[in-house]
């Protein structure tokens, strides 16, 4: 057997094996991903240098996550999250249905301007104390926040890394995105909202009667918190406008800047030590992402992804309408088991190659620096991929970065977001959202 074929079999088997083990829940997901990445190195599918290279390709995602984790953890001693949680329960008058709708209302606008995993990192620490206050399990509330964050990520070009990667590949502007594609994101959020009474019937009917019995946490270190609030505000503003400067500042660099100043503030004010803050960073989630990028890199290096593009061309032929709908469903289903950021990174060149193979566009579009416009008749393929990758991420625990982040936060608060629990809520949401997206793409872009 040729070495290339053997390496392709090893990388595909390792990847599928890792997903199956994650589904079986017998080992921690970080250990599974780490074992998978090491198998590729020890079987010479790639060298350690190449593995580190695949991790460094996604350095921006990892730096963004690390920065926001440090930023959020630095202000924990002020008790701001406990205080806000009590306020939210009071505003919702202890009613489960208002609490669920409140999570949708808070998460949606923030996700329109911040990447969805970042939003989950900022807001998820509120959820466990809220649930504790009214005596319910916090895992379903976290899962709802993830669904809304992933769906609302489609409202703007910067709301989801997968959306941004596809938008960047077809050179769509922020305003063009708002005009053409934001409505699809709004419909995705509406779909989740309409499903709330069926998804979470117990919480929907919950009513906490004794609001006066709620704990009333006091804010500690108000002066430090005020400075922290200004810092977070600057970080949020620079997330949105940083890349439009003459010398662009990426969201990852902004997050690291915010984290550094948060550490400085915590250290100088003595509200916490740098060692304590860094010890509490969710390292297992960061290592999981690094290893997943290596596993996807193995599929890319050994030509597994390229072979799939040939199959795509055979199935789709030149029928853009059929191709768009098939792509939406296939990418949606794939995205439920493959994290959507690496999936989209792999799919964009695959789709461009397919368009060149069937003669819709010239070879020049394969150049990463290509800044021209694609023919309007092929754009629905990219739109479908965008919706499929983002909404498919709601299907399973490993489908999107925000899902993994939420699972890490659940673990830090003494809960466990299992693959099976997520699946119970995720599959119906994903199927309904993919159906809504298919109708939307058909009506607005294919008819």
């Amino acid at each position: 057997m040729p070495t290339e074929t053997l390496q392709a079999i090893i990388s595909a088997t390792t990847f599928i094996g890792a997903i199956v083990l994650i589904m079986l829940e017998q080992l921690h997901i970080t250990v599974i991903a780490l074992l998978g990445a090491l198998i590729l190195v020890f079987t010479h599918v790639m060298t350690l240098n190449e593995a580190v290279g695949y991790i460094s390709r996604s350095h921006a995602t990892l730096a963004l996550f690390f920065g926001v984790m440090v930023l959020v953890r630095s202000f924990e001693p002020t008790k701001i999250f406990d205080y806000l949680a009590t306020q939210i329960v009071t505003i919702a008058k202890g009613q489960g249905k208002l609490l669920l709708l409140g999570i949708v209302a808070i998460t949606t606008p923030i996700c329109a301007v911040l990447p969805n995993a970042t939003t989950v990192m900022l807001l998820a620490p509120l959820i466990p104390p809220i649930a504790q206050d009214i005596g319910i399990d916090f895992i379903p509330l976290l899962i709802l926040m993830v669904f809304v964050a992933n769906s609302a990520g489609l409202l703007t070009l910067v709301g989801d890394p997968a959306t941004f990667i596809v938008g960047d590949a077809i050179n769509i502007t922020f305003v063009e995105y708002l005009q053409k594609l934001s409505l699809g994101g709004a419909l995705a959020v509406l779909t989740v909202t309409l499903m709330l009474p069926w998804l979470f019937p117990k919480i929907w009917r919950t009513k906490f009667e004794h609001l006066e019995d709620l704990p009333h946490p006091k804010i500690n270190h108000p002066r430090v918190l005020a400075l922290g609030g200004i810092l977070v505000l600057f970080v949020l503003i620079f997330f949105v406008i940083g890349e439009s400067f003459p010398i662009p500042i990426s969201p990852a660099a902004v997050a690291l800047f915010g984290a550094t100043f948060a550490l400085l503030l915590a250290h100088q004010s003595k509200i916490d030590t740098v060692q304590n803050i860094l010890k509490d960073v969710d390292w297992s989630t960061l290592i999981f992402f690094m290893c997943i990028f290596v596993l996807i890199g193995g599929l890319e290096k050994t030509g597994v992804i390229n072979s799939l593009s040939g199959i795509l061309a055979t199935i789709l032929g030149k029928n853009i309408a059929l191709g768009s709908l098939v792509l939406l469903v296939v990418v949606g289903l794939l995205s439920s088991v493959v994290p959507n950021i690496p999936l989209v990174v792999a799919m964009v060149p695959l789709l461009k190659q397919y368009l060149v193979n069937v003669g819709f566009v010239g070879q020049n579009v394969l150049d990463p620096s290509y800044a021209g416009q694609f023919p309007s008749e092929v754009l629905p393929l990219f739109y479908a991929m965008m919706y499929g990758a983002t909404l498919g991420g709601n299907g399973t625990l490993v489908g999107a970065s925000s899902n993994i982040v939420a699972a890490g936060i659940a673990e830090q608060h003494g809960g466990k977001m299992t693959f099976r629990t997520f699946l119970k809520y995720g599959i119906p949401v994903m199927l309904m959202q993919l159906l809504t997206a298919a109708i939307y793409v058909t009506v607005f872009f294919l008819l």
Side-chain angles (χ1 to χ4, degrees), residues 71-85 125-126 216-229 232 262 265-266 269-272 277:
L71 194 60
V72 171
R73 171 59 187 80
S74 297
F75 298 113
E76 223 170 67
T78 64
K79 294 274 186 254
I80 181 63
F81 299 115
D82 297 351
Y83 175 79
L84 288 174
L126 296 174
H216 292 286
K218 295 276 185 289
I219 287 180
N220 300 332
H221 318 290
R223 203 176 303 170
V224 176
L225 185 61
L227 288 171
V232 170
L265 193 58
S269 61
K270 297 188 169 47
I271 64 167
D272 211 337
I277 293 168

Side-chain angles (χ1 to χ4, degrees), residues 41 66 111 130 171 176 191 195 251 275 284 297 319 349 356:
V41 172
F66 172 76
C111 264
I130 288 177
N171 305 312
E176 280 174 340
T191 305
M195 292 177 75
Q275 287 91 332
S284 67
N319 189 332
V356 171

Side-chain angles (χ1 to χ4, degrees), residues 357-382:
N357 291 351
V358 295
F360 279 120
V361 292
Q363 284 280 351
N364 55 336
V365 303
L366 298 177
D367 183 352
S369 60
Y370 175 71
Q373 293 299 307
F374 281 73
S376 58
E377 65 268 21
V378 306
L379 289 176
L381 287 166
F382 289 95

